[in-house]
Amino acid sequence: MTNINKVRYSYLPQQFAEIDDLLLQIKDFVKTGDFTLGAPLKEFEEKFAKLMGSKYAIGVNSGTDGIKLGLKALGVGYGDEVITAANTFIATVGAINEIGAVPVFVDCDDTFCMDVSLVESAITNKTKAIVPVHFTGYMTDMEKLLPIATKYNLPVIEDACQGILAAINGKNSGTWGNCGAFSLHPLKNLNVWSDGGIIITDDLKLCEKLRLLRNHGMKNRDEISILGYNSRLDTIQAVVGNWLIPQTEDIANKRISNAKYYDDALEKIKQITIPPRPTHMKLVYHLYIVFAENRDELLKYCLDKGIEAKIHYPIPLYLQEGLSFLNYRKGQFPVTEKHTEEIITFPVDQHLSVEELDYVINVVKDFYEK
Ligand SMILES: *Cc1c(COP(=O)(O)O)cnc(C)c1O
């Protein structure tokens, strides 16, 4: 074995190790004083829309607000039901709750995304929108979901926060629904130095409404068209985004090749099951997750060996204390619950070396051979 003895989860110090040119750009930017809705933000929005293959992009202050503003702009409000995945990150549910709507969960399948065959039975006459989550960098089956949404006349707001450049048959996440929300949080695949988010859409009317909503509903300095929020993407973060965005494809590709490297080695271990890898989908591995026998002991063994493995997540959202008002019960979403006992996440980011990947693989092998 190599001399590696730990594999960290956060790669941020490496990602921003060489930033002399970026610091110069920030210095120039500060001289302009163009701090809110400034020129670098417009540039970032144009670059992001182009990268995704959408017409418009609207910078907002987080991925959570991206989902919230998307729902709000599409007319979802108090008491409305919004269908989403049972095993998402809390922010999806937080966004729905913030506008007074009620999250209605649907179980996932082994791709960690919403099992689309269960959506129709969750629709009631209160349902006003669907928020599929492209969890871990997989894609929800949008080819099956969109006809259901059309049949019931429901808008679709994609939670693409973990899915930058994930795609189905070459069509990117965020471009399938009415709009798609992305997070630029430091731990997301395309990140800035703070909270940040961005929404994409092809619908000009929706774009205009989102631009109003993120800026207090102000048409201009003196006129307020609607009531909105203070949810602008900071222009200084757009300077960071403009610096990093040319690397987005490489970041995705490196994660994809790291995942392939893990898959090829780990599939030989009989106690490990690799989730399905549909060939018509591009998975961008925000998280690299496999199913493992003896998961709790494997996790402990990895942590003891210095590998920052994780569980996404050990407790499903609907069983969390903070969501008890929704009155869900244990056993209601069997796949999500089964996953909580079997899944393990290994670091898969673009800054890992082959030695680090080998170290993870060897530690997992050692564990099952002991
Ligand atoms: C990160 C994330 C969000 C929220 O993004 P923030 O920028 O942190 O607000 C929403 N949904 C999912 C699935 C996420 O992973």
Side-chain angles (χ1 to χ4, degrees), residues 220-269:
N220 54 49
R221 186 184 170 282
D222 300 320
E223 291 171 279
I224 318 299
S225 337
I226 53 175
L227 275 182
Y229 303 90
N230 178 351
S231 184
R232 300 171 294 251
L233 174 59
D234 286 336
T235 311
I236 196 164
Q237 296 306 334
V239 177
V240 179
N242 284 327
W243 179 84
L244 196 61
I245 200 170
Q247 298 176 34
T248 318
E249 302 264 8
D250 288 346
I251 291 170
N253 291 337
K254 191 76 207 313
R255 285 171 174 268
I256 291 167
S257 72
N258 286 347
K260 174 93 174 58
Y261 193 86
Y262 275 144
D263 277 4
D264 288 348
L266 296 179
E267 76 183 0
K268 300 197 184 97
I269 303 173

Side-chain angles (χ1 to χ4, degrees), residues 48-349:
F48 194 85
K50 186 153 178 264
L51 179 68
M52 294 300 142
S54 68
K55 284 198 187 140
Y56 313 105
I58 304 97
V60 291
N61 75 6
S62 67
T64 310
D65 268 17
I67 301 163
K68 177 176 88 178
L69 268 54
L71 287 164
K72 181 91 183 167
L74 287 158
V76 182
Y78 186 80
D80 294 339
E81 291 180 0
V82 176
I83 292 176
T84 193
N87 65 326
T88 182
F89 176 57
I90 181 61
T92 319
V93 172
I96 295 167
N97 181 64
E98 269 189 73
I99 57 165
V102 182
V104 173
F105 294 120
V106 165
D107 207 358
C108 67
D109 59 25
D110 281 350
T111 70
F112 312 111
C113 291
M114 167 192 284
D115 181 343
V116 173
S117 69
L118 302 173
V119 167
E120 217 164 340
S121 59
I123 295 174
T124 71
N125 54 13
K126 286 189 176 167
T127 308
K128 288 289 150 52
I130 305 176
V131 179
V133 183
H134 305 312
F135 199 55
T136 80
Y138 262 96
M139 285 289 299
T140 306
D141 189 344
M142 298 305 285
E143 288 171 315
K144 287 216 183 90
L145 183 63
L146 290 190
I148 299 170
T150 306
K151 180 173 166 191
Y152 292 90
N153 201 17
L154 297 170
V156 174
I157 297 94
E158 293 174 70
D159 178 344
C161 288
Q162 301 193 1
I164 287 190
L165 291 180
I168 300 173
N169 291 325
K171 187 172 166 55
N172 281 328
S173 70
T175 67
W176 290 81
N178 298 65
C179 59
F182 296 84
S183 171
L184 305 169
H185 179 277
L187 282 179
K188 297 292 158 71
N189 289 15
L190 172 64
N191 53 340
V192 294
W193 291 351
S194 157
D195 281 301
I198 191 158
I199 315 169
I200 59 174
T201 182
D202 279 345
D203 177 341
L204 178 61
K205 277 221 158 68
L206 182 57
C207 167
E208 285 169 345
K209 188 139 189 210
L210 289 166
R211 286 194 198 285
L212 285 171
L213 282 174
R214 73 161 172 195
N215 192 33
H216 305 294
M218 290 167 76
K219 196 157 101 191
N220 54 49
R221 186 184 170 282
D222 300 320
E223 291 171 279
I224 318 299
S225 337
I226 53 175
L227 275 182
Y229 303 90
N230 178 351
S231 184
R232 300 171 294 251
L233 174 59
D234 286 336
T235 311
I236 196 164
Q237 296 306 334
V239 177
V240 179
N242 284 327
W243 179 84
L244 196 61
I245 200 170
Q247 298 176 34
T248 318
E249 302 264 8
D250 288 346
I251 291 170
N253 291 337
K254 191 76 207 313
R255 285 171 174 268
I256 291 167
S257 72
N258 286 347
K260 174 93 174 58
Y261 193 86
Y262 275 144
D263 277 4
D264 288 348
L266 296 179
E267 76 183 0
K268 300 197 184 97
I269 303 173
K270 75 171 191 327
Q271 295 90 341
I272 297 281
T273 303
I274 312 284
R277 302 298 190 209
T279 51
H280 67 302
M281 285 187 188
K282 179 177 166 198
L283 319 179
V284 289
Y285 300 98
H286 173 65
L287 304 173
Y288 178 87
I289 299 182
V290 293
F291 303 108
E293 285 178 23
N294 255 333
R295 196 277 317 273
D296 289 343
E297 279 162 55
L298 174 64
L299 175 66
K300 187 172 175 303
Y301 189 76
C302 288
L303 294 172
D304 286 347
K305 296 284 176 186
I307 298 168
E308 282 187 81
K310 294 186 191 289
I311 312 292
H312 292 88
Y313 293 97
I315 305 172
L317 276 186
Y318 56 90
L319 298 179
Q320 295 282 356
E321 187 187 350
L323 277 77
S324 58
F325 71 98
L326 292 171
N327 293 317
Y328 283 102
R329 305 174 312 275
K330 201 163 160 50
Q332 237 173 322
F333 303 104
V335 180
T336 296
E337 258 167 67
K338 188 160 166 284
H339 285 181
T340 62
E341 284 158 23
E342 297 176 344
I343 52 175
I344 185 162
T345 309
F346 296 117
V348 72
D349 62 86

